[in-house]
Every structure is written in structure tokens, then in C-alpha cells.
Amino acid sequence: GSSDAGFTVTQAVSTKASVKRAWQGMMGHIDQWWHPDHTWSGDVGNLYMKPRIGGCFCEHLEPRGEVEHLRIIYIDPGKEVRFDGALGPLQSMAAQGRMIWKVDPAPGGSTITFTYMVSGSVEGGFTPVAPAVDDVLQLQMERLAGYLDQP
């Protein structure tokens, strides 16, 4: 749902990967599945994540800059990670975000769910922004599942 004050988008994907493999791929290999169009540098090789409290989902910017996409505020390895942060163009707005990634066992593999809740004050409200964010999240989930389901 969305309103002038914020929005929530949720995307889920099923994968043949075990919970352990899904978690490892999701958290340890973000450069293998995050789409380069949704980076600041255009190069997924510049992405990195430190899977611990305060850990950064960040990106190196050449020649010496960096950008923080999200920061880990809760982590239960193999199950759930919660982040604070405003992704992409939301970062330059008066917006705050909470993203939750969950991995659950499912018949034949696992289910991964991403939920992103954003609030704040944006000229024109968040209603026009929510569909684009939902599309980006869906793209990332499809790419993650494709990566995990490779032989």
C-alpha cells in the first residue's frame, strides 16, 4: 500500500536452493545477483556487504568515494536480516526506509521474501514512487532466484 506519507512493497520468490544456500547466496554474493542498473557506479563488482550489526550493504565509487545503500540493524543468520536505509533516489529525499529479507524453508527448497517500508515527506507524496520501487524489488528477487537456481 501507499499514501502521501509512505509505502510498503513486498516481493517473494521460490527457489530450489536450500535455506542455507539461499542465505549464503543472498548475503555473501550480492554482486552475483543485484542488477547493475540499480547501482551508483554501474558495476556490481563494487558492491559489498558486511553481514553483522552495523554492517554495510555498500558500494565503492571510483576513484575514492563510497555510498551506503542499507545498514544492518538485525541479523538472525539463515533466517532474517533487517536494514535501515533509503535506496537509490530515495536517499536524496526526506525519506527513511526499513527493509526486511527473510528466508523460509519450502517444499523443494526455500522462499525468500523482501519487504521494504518507506516513510517521510516527499513533494507530491509517495504514491507515484511506490510502483517503481516495487518493480525494482521484483527485478532483484527474480535475479536472486535465477542465481540461486543455477546448477
Side-chain angles (χ1 to χ4, degrees), residues 34-40 42 47 57 59 69 132 135-136 139-140:
W34 198 263
H35 197 288
D37 286 353
H38 300 286
T39 64
W40 292 88
L47 296 175
F57 166 17
E59 181 177 351
H69 293 272
D135 288 348
V136 169
L139 172 67
Q140 305 301 357

Side-chain angles (χ1 to χ4, degrees), residues 13-148:
V13 69
S14 295
T15 175
K16 295 178 283 189
S18 67
V19 167
K20 181 179 180 182
R21 172 149 157 58
W23 180 265
Q24 290 172 338
M26 180 177 75
M27 297 298 293
H29 300 282
I30 197 152
D31 60 325
Q32 296 298 307
W33 58 270
W34 198 263
H35 197 288
D37 286 353
H38 300 286
T39 64
W40 292 88
S41 67
D43 181 355
V44 292
N46 288 328
L47 296 175
Y48 64 93
M49 188 172 340
K50 296 179 179 171
R52 58 177 162 72
I53 291 296
C56 194
F57 166 17
C58 290
E59 181 177 351
H60 296 289
L61 301 175
E62 301 302 329
R64 59 187 177 272
E66 284 186 282
V67 61
E68 178 180 295
H69 293 272
L70 300 167
R71 180 160 303 275
I72 295 173
I73 60 168
Y74 172 94
I75 188 165
D76 185 356
K79 293 182 181 180
E80 181 176 348
V81 60
R82 298 178 199 151
F83 302 88
D84 267 347
L87 289 171
L90 294 170
Q91 195 177 75
S92 62
M93 301 175 187
Q96 295 193 355
R98 170 83 29 92
M99 185 170 282
I100 301 169
W101 296 357
K102 288 184 178 182
V103 181
D104 292 301
S110 56
T111 300
I112 302 169
T113 307
F114 285 10
T115 302
Y116 194 33
M117 298 161 278
V118 176
S119 63
S121 177
V122 173
E123 191 174 327
F126 282 104
T127 301
V129 176
V133 174
D134 194 38
D135 288 348
V136 169
L137 215 56
Q138 180 180 4
L139 172 67
Q140 305 301 357
M141 296 294 289
E142 289 169 357
R143 289 176 59 87
L144 175 57
Y147 167 67
L148 293 172

